[in-house]
Amino acid sequence: MLIAIIAIFCAGVGNFAMHRAFMESDDPLVRQMVRPLAEKVGPHVTYVFEFLLLVGALAITTHNWFTGLLLYGLYTIFNAMAFSWVMHRPGE
């Protein structure tokens, strides 16, 4: 279980780094998706959501390490795929 918690924490650091790169990019798609939410709730609500996902994964891991690791690993993979697509698509 300890190895799963360490792996999830390290993946969480990577997810926060990708999230920050998303938020600091000037991509019109990211601005279009985030702006309405940021105007209603606040500019840092997406970071809170990212943190809650990490805490939730760690909480699941304390009960069943494989499920927590699998779910957060899948989230990290999809997050990395989206990050790669947004950062490497042709500019508009």
Side-chain angles (χ1 to χ4, degrees):
M1 180 175 72
L2 182 62
I3 293 173
I5 290 174
I6 292 169
I8 289 173
F9 181 78
C10 291
V13 171
N15 283 327
F16 270 97
M18 286 186 281
H19 188 84
R20 183 174 178 179
F22 269 132
M23 299 305 287
E24 291 181 355
S25 73
D26 242 3
D27 191 86
L29 180 63
V30 174
R31 284 187 305 212
Q32 180 183 3
M33 291 186 316
V34 174
R35 185 179 295 140
L37 184 63
E39 288 175 355
K40 291 179 183 174
V41 183
H44 302 296
V45 68
T46 56
Y47 290 103
V48 172
F49 180 71
E50 188 79 40
F51 178 73
L52 290 175
L53 283 172
L54 177 61
V55 170
L58 290 172
I60 290 171
T61 303
T62 61
H63 296 292
N64 186 345
W65 69 268
F66 182 75
T67 303
L69 189 60
L70 179 68
L71 291 175
Y72 202 71
L74 288 172
Y75 169 71
T76 302
I77 289 169
F78 287 125
N79 196 19
M81 288 175 11
F83 176 76
S84 178
W85 177 72
V86 167
M87 294 301 166
H88 294 101
R89 70 190 182 101
E92 295 176 16

